Amino acid sequence: RNQTHSPQIKDFNLVIFGGNGDLSKRKIIPALFHRYADGQLKVDFEIYSISRSPQDRAEFLAEIQKFLGKVDSKKVEAFFKHLVILEIPKNNAENYAEMKKHLEANPNRQAIFYFSVPSGAFSEICTALKETGLSKNDSKVVLEKPLGHSLKSSEEINDIIMSAFEERQVFRIDHYLGKETVQNLMVLRFANHLFERAWNAENIENIQITVAESLGVEKRAGYYDKTGALLDMIQNHLLQLLCLIAMEPPSSLDPDTVRNEKQKVLESLRPFTKETLETDIVRGQYTRGASTGKKLNSYLEDIDAYDSETETFVALKTYIDNWRWKNTPIYFRTGKRMKKRYSDIVINFKELPHNIFQDSQHPLRNKLIIRLQPEERIELVQLSKIPGPGGYRFKPISLKLDFIDSFKDRMP
């Protein structure tokens, strides 16, 4: 693969707090491996997986390998040599001594601290990093969602982070934005005249964003029951997708410029009232059932807590009150233990104002379907005449752009 467009990076040490957690094993470390396998990490680096409890190295590496797919075993072996497992039972200066020794063995490497832990642990981690002198001027800190459970708690978390790092060092991320099809939303909208000219309330009936998961809470019961679908999915992943769909064209791709346009969307969201809280939001929990012939527990059985009211499913309707989107309904849906796993964005265009085909069986409207996973494709649904005699008989036909068929190189 041609790496001409790959950004230049420095030698680094990446420290993953919560390194034995689900996010680290499923997403973070596999993503780093694929960058390594593609030749994008041609620097000296080490990855430190930090866990509170003892971790058997062979078992840990075997778990990670399950999420790497079909890859070159020699590259896996070489990559794993860069992976160091450290046990730190408590976040304090004393327990950070071994980690500090490792990091200071290569003082020219940039330290990147990835907080893949609940936000309740941020304070003690930041304090320990500051006390041990590990939060240096060129260090970076990466924060995963959710950042608190309310505005007040989010502000408190930011104050804690700012006590050890400067704003320029802090990267609040949403890993959903790393998906190729999500990043393609910018190109789809702002590099194609066909869509951008019709991208407004005058032409669009509604927007529907769905993220459905077939799995239950699995090993995330403790975290999930304190979070729920609203905080786990709606306020980050789905709102980020909405921002990319609804934002105005930024003047450039400068990060701050793009962020400012996203912020305008969020500021324009119509607040809920007591009435719309009753009519425009549905919350639910999955119950006992079966899938592919296998019996499945309810959410309450999965978390072994029978008084929980935490939602595992949310559907809601909202609006963006600005000139482009005034009175265009936006629908969010997300849930666990759904019939199948998929994520998509559906743009439903308005019906034509006049129908000259009096015998038509289909409404004269189009839709754009952006499938994010598991298949990665874009479908433009249009009406097309059915061949043969019998007058103007037509039906919806999809014009498909399939990423797997169209592009040889695919990111995992």
Side-chain angles (χ1 to χ4, degrees):
R1 177 180 295 181
N2 186 347
Q3 302 300 327
T4 304
H5 300 292
S6 297
Q8 296 297 315
I9 59 175
K10 303 176 182 177
D11 297 347
F12 67 91
N13 286 319
L14 174 63
V15 180
I16 306 174
F17 293 98
N20 63 338
D22 191 65
L23 179 62
S24 175
K25 290 184 289 189
R26 285 177 177 265
K27 302 290 185 182
I28 302 172
I29 296 177
L32 289 164
F33 165 76
H34 288 289
R35 304 288 65 74
Y36 174 82
D38 285 343
Q40 294 178 334
L41 297 183
K42 294 180 178 179
V43 295
D44 293 329
F45 71 94
E46 229 72 54
I47 301 168
Y48 294 90
S49 172
I50 310 299
S51 61
R52 288 180 175 270
S53 55
Q55 185 77 36
D56 180 82
R57 181 176 179 83
E59 291 180 2
F60 181 62
L61 298 183
E63 284 191 64
I64 293 172
Q65 196 155 0
K66 291 188 297 185
F67 301 107
L68 300 183
K70 295 180 180 180
V71 292
D72 186 337
S73 60
K74 291 184 179 179
K75 288 185 178 180
V76 174
E77 184 179 351
F79 174 76
F80 281 165
K81 290 179 180 178
H82 294 272
L83 187 58
V84 180
I85 299 173
L86 294 179
E87 179 191 348
I88 299 181
K90 291 185 178 181
N91 292 303
N92 55 45
E94 181 182 353
N95 283 285
Y96 278 28
E98 183 182 359
M99 179 174 68
K100 182 177 181 180
K101 183 179 178 181
H102 278 278
L103 297 182
E104 293 186 344
N106 298 284
N108 294 326
R109 294 183 185 178
Q110 183 180 54
I112 304 170
F113 302 103
Y114 199 122
F115 290 12
S116 182
V117 293
S119 56
F122 289 2
S123 177
E124 56 188 31
I125 292 175
C126 286
T127 300
L129 290 174
K130 188 176 181 180
E131 289 178 355
T132 52
L134 290 175
S135 55
K136 302 182 185 297
N137 189 53
D138 66 341
S139 300
K140 294 179 180 178
V141 58
V142 182
L143 308 177
E144 270 282 358
K145 59 85 180 175
L147 300 181
H149 54 82
S150 63
L151 176 61
K152 181 180 179 182
S153 61
S154 179
E155 290 173 341
E156 290 172 351
I157 290 169
N158 278 323
D159 289 343
I160 290 165
I161 300 299
M162 291 301 105
S163 70
F165 300 94
E166 297 179 17
E167 179 61 39
R168 62 178 176 80
Q169 298 174 279
V170 181
F171 294 80
R172 303 169 186 84
I173 71 164
D174 185 333
H175 61 260
Y176 218 77
L177 297 181
K179 293 181 180 293
E180 283 290 332
T181 41
V182 174
Q183 293 185 31
N184 188 54
L185 291 173
M186 291 283 285
V187 178
L188 178 71
R189 282 202 56 198
F190 303 126
N192 293 284
H193 189 274
L194 170 67
F195 295 122
E196 181 55 28
R197 299 293 291 180
W199 214 259
N200 52 50
E202 184 179 349
N203 296 290
I204 292 176
E205 184 75 31
N206 61 67
I207 298 170
Q208 302 187 26
I209 302 176
T210 303
V211 178
E213 300 177 87
S214 58
L215 295 175
V217 293
E218 305 299 304
K219 297 179 180 179
R220 303 170 69 218
Y223 158 79
Y224 196 89
D225 198 50
K226 297 177 182 177
T227 308
L230 269 169
L231 198 57
D232 188 49
M233 297 297 293
I234 297 286
Q235 68 93 33
N236 39 76
H237 297 336
L238 275 74
L239 281 179
Q240 287 284 1
L241 293 176
L242 177 61
C243 286
L244 291 172
I245 289 294
M247 63 189 274
E248 295 298 318
S251 59
S252 72
L253 292 179
D254 173 75
D256 287 343
T257 304
V258 174
R259 183 203 62 197
N260 290 343
E261 294 301 336
K262 288 183 175 182
Q263 184 174 333
K264 292 175 185 177
V265 174
L266 298 176
E267 289 174 346
S268 300
L269 285 171
R270 184 180 299 178
F272 285 99
T273 64
K274 289 183 178 180
E275 291 75 20
T276 56
L277 283 173
E278 292 287 336
T279 60
D280 293 355
I281 298 180
V282 176
R283 299 166 63 243
Q285 281 182 357
Y286 64 82
T287 58
R288 284 183 182 177
S291 178
T292 62
K294 181 182 177 182
K295 292 184 178 180
L296 299 171
N297 288 336
S298 68
Y299 172 71
L300 299 180
E301 290 170 322
D302 279 346
I303 66 171
D304 195 26
Y306 295 90
D307 59 349
S308 173
E309 295 184 357
T310 301
E311 75 283 347
T312 65
F313 173 87
V314 176
L316 65 85
K317 178 173 70 173
T318 188
Y319 296 88
I320 299 172
D321 288 332
N322 62 19
W323 278 17
R324 182 185 287 265
W325 298 113
K326 186 67 175 178
N327 291 328
T328 301
I330 297 160
Y331 299 96
F332 288 138
R333 284 184 291 266
T334 185
K336 290 191 172 295
R337 202 67 87 190
M338 306 297 283
K339 186 175 182 179
K340 65 178 181 178
R341 170 182 174 264
Y342 75 97
S343 300
D344 66 20
I345 302 167
V346 179
I347 311 296
N348 286 304
F349 290 90
K350 288 184 176 180
E351 192 167 355
L352 288 175
H354 177 64
N355 184 1
I356 66 172
F357 304 98
Q358 297 300 320
D359 298 327
S360 64
Q361 302 296 314
H362 303 281
L364 303 186
R365 61 161 62 103
N366 307 110
K367 69 170 65 175
L368 182 67
I369 304 172
I370 305 164
R371 180 59 62 90
L372 306 176
Q373 64 181 23
E375 309 93 357
E376 296 178 317
R377 65 172 182 257
I378 297 172
E379 298 180 34
L380 178 60
V381 181
Q382 63 172 21
L383 294 168
S384 182
K385 181 183 179 300
I386 300 171
Y392 286 100
R393 297 173 298 116
F394 52 82
K395 67 177 183 178
I397 298 292
S398 292
L399 298 177
K400 297 180 181 179
L401 168 62
D402 194 301
F403 278 59
I404 294 177
D405 293 338
S406 301
F407 300 101
K408 181 180 178 181
D409 292 331
R410 300 294 302 123
M411 296 296 177

